[in-house]
Amino acid sequence: MVSLSFYLMAIDSEEARDKLTQIYTQYYSTMRAVAHRFLSKHNSTVEEDIVHDSIITIINNMHKIDMNDETALKCFVCTVVRHKAIDWIRHEYRAEYDDFEQTAYSVEDTDPLPLDAIVSREGYEIIIRCINELSDNYKDVCNLKFVCKMTEKDIASILGLTVNNVGVRIMRGRKKLMAKISEAYYGKQKTR
Amino acid sequence: MVNKKLDEAVLDTVLEQAFAEAFKRDIAKIEEENKDMPEHPKKYVDIERAYYKKMTKPKTSGMLVFRKVAACIMAVLSVGFITVLAVSDVRASVWDSAVSLFEKYASFSTKTKDNSLQLGEYSMGYLPKEFELTKTNSNEYINEYTFSNGADYFLITEYKTNESKIDYDYENGEYKKIIINGNEAFLISYSTNDSMIIWLHNEKSFSIEGTININILIKVAENIF
């Protein structure tokens, strides 16, 4: 376990050091758990390395975090860890994520928007289920966009992507989600 | 819905809520599955913060402070010294003081060396370089000591007197009053390059005359105790 004091030395302002101390003490075990979820099947010895990389990224993007919004803060931390873990898996076991781009292009526009589906309680649960089914590549950028309310530029710098790529992922993720919701809701209605 | 922009706004708001909810549920599930995951021990946080502060504390050692203070004092003294020396009177005074100090030091060193000499009741603290006692003449009333270096000479005369003032014929010479060890004395210079100093001390009259430099003559006189 890398010492907190090691990370504190990389930070200039006292305010940022307080932020990191809070994140580190509050979410360290959650970060390990997220890393474990993705890496347990592959190589659990790198979990700590992934958490370490994530903390470095968090330090570099500390100013973009709203510490008062606990959900956004936790989402940001976990998304960074998840993204790092997926990156590592993609690098080590390329085949598992090779189909990502092909599936992305296969998404078609769904018109009209399935608002009927999302305004009901039942529809809301369907949305959550569809979000969980969404690919991690879309989920990461969408989490930072919708939960952390970050700009595409900030998301790009955190995840190491281009701004265009982030924009494309958000758009495709949204379309894919709409397609899933329509399919789940209207498909379900038809069966009634 | 008719207004597509409004539809998008509603959808975004719902998605914000839905993504947050999905995230919470997902993380709750992960945390539940990994209850045994090690937590960062909270008791170490304070220790680590303190360690960090210790490691990054700027070093203000006593030596550093001392150096700064010393540098400031030196700067002030230098500026003050230069300012004072800019005044010509002060500069002359400092020069005189330095010369007198040097002379004092020189006379002191002479006394401690082997060339100090005992002349009857008195000792002679300063003997010019290369001079040596060549002749002595003493009786009940008078003591004479002649010193020479081969080329020049000087003669010290000590004789008893009841006079309280000095009478001396300084024909062919010029005189001026000087002070020798707190006693009034006369310095007489002759055109023949001879010089003489006469003074009274404890009912004795002293005189030094010779062909040596006047300043050396005065110095010899001042070092007779």
Side-chain angles (χ1 to χ4, degrees):
Chain A
M1 188 183 292
V2 180
S3 167
L4 172 63
S5 53
F6 170 80
Y7 296 119
L8 293 175
M9 283 182 191
I11 303 173
D12 292 334
S13 77
E14 189 62 29
E15 188 190 346
R17 281 194 282 272
D18 289 340
K19 274 185 179 182
L20 183 72
T21 305
Q22 186 187 333
I23 291 169
Y24 196 82
T25 52
Q26 212 167 335
Y27 299 125
Y28 181 80
S29 59
T30 307
M31 291 163 84
R32 284 292 299 267
V34 172
H36 179 75
R37 185 198 218 189
F38 286 88
L39 299 166
S40 58
K41 284 191 291 181
H42 304 282
N43 183 355
S44 57
T45 58
V46 296
E47 284 172 24
E48 212 168 300
D49 294 343
I50 295 297
V51 171
H52 166 75
D53 279 356
S54 304
I55 291 172
I56 299 296
T57 302
I58 289 165
I59 288 170
N60 292 334
N61 295 279
M62 193 85 76
H63 57 285
K64 296 166 189 163
I65 308 170
D66 178 8
M67 299 294 287
N68 298 321
D69 188 342
E70 197 181 331
T71 307
L73 177 62
K74 196 171 184 178
C75 179
F76 166 74
V77 170
C78 293
T79 304
V80 170
V81 176
R82 184 163 62 191
H83 186 76
K84 294 282 179 191
I86 291 168
D87 258 5
W88 184 86
I89 295 167
R90 183 182 289 134
H91 183 260
E92 295 294 319
Y93 306 93
R94 185 167 288 276
E96 288 190 21
Y97 282 86
D98 268 357
D99 62 336
F100 166 62
E101 291 302 327
Q102 283 85 8
T103 53
Y105 281 107
S106 68
V107 179
E108 291 172 2
D109 283 352
T110 53
D111 200 29
L113 291 170
L115 286 179
D116 294 341
I118 64 174
V119 291
S120 67
R121 179 70 205 170
E122 190 186 4
Y124 186 66
E125 289 300 326
I126 290 171
I127 296 172
I128 291 171
R129 202 181 67 224
C130 292
I131 288 172
N132 285 332
E133 289 171 3
L134 210 55
S135 159
D136 287 319
N137 293 289
Y138 297 129
K139 214 190 285 183
D140 284 347
V141 288
C142 288
N143 272 335
L144 294 176
K145 171 78 179 170
F146 293 114
V147 185
C148 302
K149 298 177 181 61
M150 286 182 171
T151 63
E152 291 178 4
K153 193 179 170 187
D154 287 347
I155 296 169
S157 75
I158 291 165
L159 301 182
L161 305 169
T162 63
V163 178
N164 280 343
N165 199 334
V166 170
V168 168
R169 284 193 190 197
I170 291 171
M171 185 193 71
R172 286 180 186 164
R174 217 174 118 141
K175 282 181 179 176
K176 195 166 186 176
L177 186 62
M178 293 304 103
K180 278 178 180 288
I181 293 168
S182 294
E183 189 186 335
Y185 186 76
Y186 296 117
K188 192 175 182 179
Q189 269 198 338
K190 281 173 192 173
T191 59
R192 279 184 181 174
Chain B
M1 295 279 180
V2 180
N3 191 333
K4 198 176 178 184
K5 279 190 178 175
L6 186 62
D7 287 358
E8 294 275 355
V10 172
L11 184 64
D12 278 352
T13 307
V14 174
L15 286 180
E16 282 175 12
Q17 292 296 319
F19 268 101
E21 184 67 30
F23 166 76
K24 281 180 189 172
R25 290 183 191 181
D26 193 27
I27 289 298
K29 195 177 167 188
I30 292 172
E31 286 175 335
E32 181 64 27
E33 286 170 1
N34 299 281
K35 277 180 185 171
D36 301 331
M37 203 47 75
E39 278 190 29
H40 182 75
K42 288 184 172 53
K43 65 179 179 181
Y44 289 155
V45 171
D46 290 340
I47 296 170
E48 286 177 325
R49 292 289 305 235
Y51 176 73
Y52 161 76
K53 278 186 180 170
K54 189 181 173 187
M55 291 293 288
T56 55
K57 189 180 177 185
K59 289 176 183 170
T60 53
S61 65
M63 184 54 84
L64 198 64
V65 174
F66 173 76
R67 280 181 188 171
K68 284 182 180 175
V69 171
C72 289
I73 291 171
M74 287 294 287
V76 169
L77 285 178
S78 302
V79 170
F81 190 66
I82 290 166
T83 310
V84 167
L85 283 187
V87 182
S88 59
D89 288 345
V90 175
R91 199 165 53 237
S93 170
V94 169
W95 177 251
D96 288 347
S97 302
V99 169
S100 82
L101 269 176
F102 175 75
E103 284 178 349
K104 239 180 195 176
Y105 172 75
S107 64
F108 175 76
S109 65
T110 306
K111 274 190 271 183
T112 56
K113 284 180 182 173
D114 290 336
N115 59 356
S116 64
L117 205 61
Q118 194 66 31
L119 303 176
E121 298 173 19
Y122 296 88
S123 74
M124 184 179 168
Y126 171 67
L127 181 62
K129 272 185 182 176
E130 296 177 358
F131 276 82
E132 58 183 23
L133 185 61
T134 54
K135 190 180 172 186
T136 304
N137 182 21
S138 296
N139 59 37
E140 190 180 348
Y141 302 104
I142 192 165
N143 294 313
E144 286 181 345
Y145 307 97
T146 305
F147 296 86
S148 174
N149 64 356
D152 292 313
Y153 83 99
F154 66 90
L155 170 68
I156 299 176
T157 309
E158 171 206 339
Y159 58 94
K160 289 178 184 174
T161 177
N162 293 324
E163 298 293 331
S164 59
K165 61 179 184 177
I166 300 168
D167 284 326
Y168 189 80
D169 180 11
Y170 57 94
E171 195 179 354
N172 299 325
E174 292 178 354
Y175 85 97
K176 70 173 180 179
K177 287 182 182 177
I178 59 171
I179 301 295
I180 299 293
N181 293 333
N183 302 301
E184 189 181 60
F186 291 94
L187 171 63
I188 302 157
S189 303
Y190 296 99
S191 55
T192 55
N193 287 335
D194 285 5
S195 304
M196 178 185 246
I197 300 171
I198 308 171
W199 73 98
L200 290 172
H201 180 64
N202 286 346
E203 295 181 342
K204 284 184 179 176
S205 171
F206 291 89
S207 72
I208 302 177
E209 60 179 298
T211 56
I212 58 173
N213 181 281
I214 289 174
N215 290 328
I216 296 174
L217 208 64
I218 291 170
K219 196 168 177 178
V220 171
E222 283 178 338
N223 281 278
I224 293 174
F225 302 101

